[in-house]
Amino acid sequence: MGLVEGLRETRDGVVWIRDMLPRADVVGLLTTATVFACPSIYEPLGIVNLEAMACETAVVATATGGIPEVVVDPHSGLGTTDGPATGRLVPIDQAGDGTGTPLDPDQYVADFAAALTQVVSDPALAAAMGKAGRQRAIDAFGWTAIADQTVEVYRSVL
């Protein structure tokens, strides 16, 4: 918590949420946010990014695990690049020991900060990413899309 307090001394709008929030509160926060930041070093799918996208919020996330399957960043060349950008993917070189530790933490932090600054500094870009993200959440990860994909899996084995 000391780092958060230090950051609050130099910046406005720093909020630390210590407790689990009710779903309605999370939706409210995500819906009003300019950008959702996910500086994760391990995410099997990155559903938190998908939740932010469903709330029409741009995403800046680490290109690790399943996150590049969710977030579209045509400019990065990482993961899914077809379709309009839903956010920015930040590259990370990670230790191969299963910890996901960045090999160059300073570079990772600098790259993440640059991507986050780019999106938050351009409200029109953030809004366009948010709209594209919501559409992607519906089209690729909504219940209808999941049902269609499940049917295709069954058809492929029959």
Side-chain angles (χ1 to χ4, degrees):
M1 188 67 174
L3 292 174
V4 172
E5 293 303 324
L7 192 57
R8 283 184 180 146
E9 291 176 12
T10 61
R11 295 191 175 126
D12 293 329
V14 176
V15 178
W16 180 267
I17 302 170
R18 297 182 343 181
D19 300 316
M20 292 292 291
L21 297 176
R23 182 175 184 209
D25 291 349
V26 172
V27 169
L29 285 169
L30 289 173
T31 301
T32 58
T34 301
V35 64
F36 176 76
C38 183
S40 182
I41 59 169
Y42 175 77
E43 289 289 339
L45 176 64
I47 197 163
V48 294
N49 300 297
L50 190 54
E51 291 168 338
M53 289 164 52
C55 291
E56 209 167 291
T57 302
V59 172
V60 173
T62 311
T64 190
I67 294 172
E69 295 177 40
V70 173
V71 178
V72 177
D73 184 357
H75 305 291
S76 72
L78 302 168
T80 302
T81 57
D82 56 331
T86 64
R88 291 287 178 254
L89 290 170
V90 179
I92 185 171
D93 290 323
Q94 295 174 285
D97 61 3
T99 64
T101 303
L103 296 178
D104 187 347
D106 292 337
Q107 184 65 55
Y108 169 67
V109 169
D111 291 346
F112 203 97
L116 190 55
T117 299
Q118 178 203 20
V119 177
V120 81
S121 297
D122 188 341
L125 174 66
M129 288 176 166
K131 287 186 187 316
R134 176 154 175 79
Q135 196 59 55
R136 177 163 170 72
I138 292 166
D139 293 346
F141 297 95
W143 286 117
T144 300
I146 298 303
D148 290 345
Q149 292 171 32
T150 302
V151 167
E152 285 307 311
V153 168
Y154 284 123
R155 282 189 181 136
S156 73
V157 296
L158 293 177

